[in-house]
Amino acid sequence: MLKYYDYFDEWGRLDREPIEFLINMQVIGSHIPAGGRILDNGAGSGKYAMALAQAGYRVTLTDLSARLVEDAERRIETCEWRDRVEGCHVADAQDLSLFADASFDATLMMGPMYHLQREAEREKAALQLRRVTKPGGVVFVAFMSREKQAATYLLDPDRWPPCDTYAGIRAFLDTGVFNHRDEGRFTGAYAFPLAGIVPFMERMGFETLKLIASESIGGMTAEKLEAWRACGDAEYRDIVDLLVELAENPSILGASPHLLYVGKVPEF
């Protein structure tokens, strides 16, 4: 998994598939407190962290990949708002011991849950996120949908061995674990069953606010989104708002490759 992200352009993926980033950012922005300290845990090259810093928040980012952290540092160094980034750290989502308890007003974990294949690993990451978030603070955690991933494998099996057989797809549906057979491809993955996300997060001590479909009612390429932008700024904003509204419709959650859980740490 780490080797894959040392070469994969995650920043570019979010540019090529922009609706996921737009929807997530709009939902995040509507829940975080003004002027808060934000942790982007598993930040990759820092696309979310940088957008939040640009919006005025004080941001810290972490990632397991030293290469991605270095990439984030290079991007940040050229920005006028670089002083709002309080740190870029190589860290495992399961061990955030470099941060004290209740350090952040809000926390993001937009990638680690895609790859923690063991239950104990997922629990560690969730509990660490809760520990470093202040009571009353909001958390945003991204998940992959097991149902949608299975549909992808069924429709294009040759691209996704070992899910190119009934046995492979059955095993994936039973376990959520996916290890690509081809060298250099997306691997070491884990996808949650839709019905298991909220119970898991609540068992980890979070209060659920919402679960949304990050791609809303369907994938939208940059080209298709630009066609709406060409209709004018007001029309474009209305379309994005509509996609965000539809993203909260529970009937489409299982059709979205990525899901965003929004919760909070209880105030005692």
Side-chain angles (χ1 to χ4, degrees):
M1 181 271 291
L2 192 57
K3 183 179 179 181
Y4 173 82
Y5 281 107
D6 279 343
Y7 293 96
F8 183 71
D9 180 16
E10 177 66 10
W11 185 289
R13 181 189 77 80
L14 291 171
D15 285 341
R16 294 188 299 273
E17 303 168 11
I19 199 63
E20 176 188 347
F21 179 74
L22 286 172
I23 288 175
N24 284 346
M25 277 302 302
Q26 192 147 323
V27 172
I28 291 166
S30 68
H31 285 84
I32 52 179
R37 296 185 69 226
I38 314 297
L39 172 66
D40 188 355
N41 175 34
S45 293
K47 194 173 182 71
Y48 286 97
M50 291 182 209
L52 290 166
Q54 188 174 12
Y57 293 95
R58 292 170 294 150
V59 176
T60 299
L61 68 86
T62 65
D63 199 86
L64 187 59
S65 166
R67 199 275 296 179
L68 290 178
V69 172
E70 290 170 2
D71 185 33
E73 288 175 327
R74 282 194 298 270
R75 293 176 186 271
I76 290 164
E77 186 59 34
T78 65
C79 298
E80 293 181 0
W81 38 258
R82 57 185 175 271
D83 290 345
R84 297 185 199 134
V85 179
E86 298 183 330
C88 300
H89 307 278
V90 178
D92 190 325
Q94 300 174 72
D95 180 8
L96 299 177
S97 55
L98 69 163
F99 305 120
D101 293 359
S103 292
F104 299 98
D105 298 287
T107 51
L108 286 67
M109 189 159 64
M110 306 300 287
M113 284 297 182
Y114 300 167
H115 294 288
L116 298 173
Q117 294 183 320
R118 297 180 178 86
E119 181 79 1
E121 295 171 337
R122 297 189 290 274
E123 290 177 352
K124 283 182 183 178
L127 291 172
Q128 282 290 290
L129 200 70
R130 181 184 173 193
R131 182 185 65 77
V132 301
T133 308
K134 293 179 180 179
V138 185
V139 299
F140 306 90
V141 183
F143 294 87
M144 288 199 308
S145 160
R146 190 176 304 183
E147 290 82 358
K148 178 60 177 178
Q149 287 301 117
T152 298
Y153 303 152
L154 282 163
L155 292 170
D156 197 7
D158 291 343
R159 291 190 62 215
W160 300 104
C163 286
D164 53 353
T165 65
Y166 166 79
I169 293 172
R170 180 73 266 170
F172 170 74
L173 282 169
D174 290 342
T175 66
V177 170
F178 177 75
N179 292 300
H180 208 295
R181 201 162 59 220
D182 295 344
E183 182 70 21
R185 295 292 303 278
F186 185 79
T187 191
Y190 180 80
F192 264 77
L194 176 59
I197 294 171
V198 169
F200 170 79
M201 293 300 289
E202 292 183 349
R203 183 162 56 83
M204 295 299 100
F206 296 99
E207 294 179 4
T208 298
L209 299 178
K210 62 179 65 174
L211 180 67
I212 70 159
S214 294
E215 280 86 0
S216 190
I217 57 174
M220 185 175 288
T221 63
E223 181 181 8
K224 291 178 180 177
L225 198 60
E226 282 303 312
W228 281 110
R229 194 190 296 272
C231 296
D233 290 344
E235 186 79 355
Y236 173 76
R237 286 194 300 270
D238 286 344
I239 287 296
V240 172
D241 288 343
L242 176 62
L243 289 168
V244 173
E245 175 188 332
L246 293 170
E248 298 191 28
N249 187 324
S251 67
I252 66 168
L253 290 174
S256 179
H258 302 96
L259 303 164
L260 182 65
Y261 174 89
V262 184
K264 63 184 295 188
V265 176
E267 297 184 70
F268 297 112

